[in-house]
Amino acid sequence: MRHGKETDSRYISNVLSLLREHRRFFLGVALAGLALRLFFFVYFSAVTDDSRLYLELANNWLHDGVYGQTGATQIVPSDARLPGYPAFLAVIIWIFRSENIRAVLLTQVLLDLLTCLIIADLARRTISSPRAGRIAFLLAAICPFLANYASTALTESLETFFTALALDCAAAALDRMQ
């Protein structure tokens, strides 16, 4: 017994232990995932009409205090989009003091790589295997769909991050309840 609890030989160490144990694997796969995302960033970055709307909402909110679209003479409050992604854009614009979409996309690339780690932890928790975590990390890191989302100024990258985070937190809570 340790600290009043029985030790379980089936206990799977947390994702940080997994990273330390398989440092070369995670570093190599993370670099491959980064290279794939940077490839999409350089050659296939996309700014769509929706991206422009999100940027307009973010700028108006940040600079004028109105969550809205620019009308003929004034900014008109809008409920065209939920405020999550425009808030993210506003933070990036505020930090970098620029509307440079490249800063947004590079931030999304890094966030997407973090998503891959969260997915690995979720797999490790739900399947109870460090190997499952490594496989999930590999698949998420080299997934062209995720890499493409990271290089597009749309909500998908953040949605994937927060969905994976919510599921991982739910799995962690269920682990603690058992």
Side-chain angles (χ1 to χ4, degrees):
M1 292 184 46
R2 192 179 350 173
H3 302 293
K5 294 183 181 179
E6 282 186 28
T7 58
D8 184 355
S9 62
R10 294 175 300 145
Y11 173 76
I12 305 302
S13 61
N14 64 31
V15 75
L16 295 176
S17 300
L18 192 61
L19 288 173
R20 282 192 287 272
E21 288 176 30
H22 304 282
R23 186 173 304 176
R24 287 184 181 167
F25 171 82
F26 281 99
L27 181 60
V29 172
L31 289 174
L34 179 61
L36 179 62
R37 282 154 183 78
L38 291 177
F39 173 78
F40 275 95
F41 172 77
V42 170
Y43 294 105
F44 300 106
S45 291
V47 178
T48 65
D49 288 339
D50 278 351
S51 304
R52 288 181 191 84
L53 175 59
Y54 286 124
L55 282 165
E56 180 182 8
L57 291 168
N59 277 310
N60 289 336
W61 199 8
L62 181 65
H63 299 298
D64 298 310
V66 178
Y67 185 78
Q69 294 175 267
T70 307
T73 59
Q74 64 183 6
I75 297 171
V76 180
S78 174
D79 63 355
R81 297 289 186 272
L82 294 172
Y85 193 66
F88 169 75
L89 294 175
V91 168
I92 300 301
I93 291 167
W94 180 76
I95 289 171
F96 292 100
R97 304 282 183 224
S98 168
E99 282 185 45
N100 186 350
I101 199 69
R102 297 174 74 76
V104 170
L105 297 180
L106 287 173
T107 303
Q108 287 183 185
V109 163
L110 296 176
L111 197 61
D112 199 51
L113 289 173
L114 182 58
T115 301
C116 296
L117 282 175
I118 293 170
I119 291 169
D121 189 52
L122 178 61
R124 179 197 60 78
R125 284 180 193 281
T126 56
I127 300 175
S128 299
S129 164
R131 184 169 184 242
R134 291 192 311 271
I135 291 169
F137 183 74
L138 173 68
L139 293 174
I142 63 170
C143 176
F145 299 107
L146 291 178
N148 186 37
Y149 292 156
S151 65
T152 304
L154 291 172
T155 61
E156 280 79 357
S157 216
L158 262 68
E159 177 272 327
T160 306
F161 171 79
F162 283 113
T163 300
L165 183 62
L167 290 172
D168 196 34
C169 287
L174 288 172
D175 281 350
R176 299 266 327 213
M177 290 174 58
Q178 293 176 350

